[in-house]
Amino acid sequence: LGSLITFVVFMAFALAGDRRGALQLALASTGAAGLTLLLKGIIGRERPEEVTHLVDVFGYSYPSGHALASAALYLTIALAAGRHLPSLLARFTFLALAGFIVVLIGLSRMYLGVHYPSDVLSGMSLGGAWAFLLHAGFFLFARLLPREASGQ
């Protein structure tokens, strides 16, 4: 589902002429996947065995890839789309909704018994940090370029 949402929103940004938003989303998604693979490979934490897994999973537990990817994806969408919203309240509401979705996804990973709470919290934190870091970088880069060259 995350890949489908990424593709649909990427296309929406591209068709709306927001090349910066499309690139920001592509980098957020790619970076989240890379961070997940790198950290799972380095840390190698086994999945919880104390509870029954409600779904079949493979690979290591830390960090939660679903939590990391959802935080990076939904927060990036909210931040990039927020540039097009008319008010600060609308931007805040959109960002809060994205955060709520991320929390629900994180809770679902614990409910399914496939992650420790620390796996999920770390994944959400890393994905959120990646989304905000990218957003800050794109914001600063856009400030340095003339309006015509910034992709807007």
Side-chain angles (χ1 to χ4, degrees):
L1 184 60
S3 297
L4 177 62
I5 291 169
T6 300
F7 177 75
V8 168
V9 175
F10 177 88
M11 292 305 297
F13 281 140
L15 292 172
D18 186 355
R19 293 178 298 182
R20 184 172 67 170
L23 179 59
Q24 187 174 344
L25 183 61
L27 288 174
S29 181
T30 304
L35 272 171
T36 299
L37 288 173
L38 177 71
L39 292 172
K40 283 183 183 273
I42 290 172
I43 296 169
R45 182 179 190 179
E46 296 298 326
R47 293 191 181 268
E49 294 179 9
E50 298 83 13
V51 295
T52 303
H53 297 184
L54 299 179
V55 294
D56 291 328
V57 291
F58 63 94
Y60 292 118
S61 182
Y62 183 92
S64 167
H66 281 83
L68 197 155
S70 67
L73 170 67
Y74 293 114
L75 294 175
T76 295
I77 290 170
L79 292 166
R83 293 192 323 271
H84 304 286
L85 297 176
S87 70
L88 185 60
L89 179 61
R91 284 181 226 130
F92 176 78
T93 302
F94 204 56
L95 191 58
L97 180 61
F100 182 68
I101 291 169
V102 170
V103 168
L104 289 179
I105 291 170
L107 290 172
S108 76
R109 302 310 290 169
M110 290 185 293
Y111 175 79
L112 293 171
V114 296
H115 286 291
Y116 295 101
S118 59
D119 302 338
V120 171
L121 287 173
S122 294
M124 289 190 300
S125 298
L126 289 165
W130 178 236
F132 282 105
L133 180 66
L134 272 177
H135 187 68
F138 273 80
F139 177 81
L140 291 174
F141 189 70
R143 293 282 180 186
L144 297 174
L145 292 178
R147 184 122 176 106
E148 303 82 42
S150 69
Q152 279 284 326

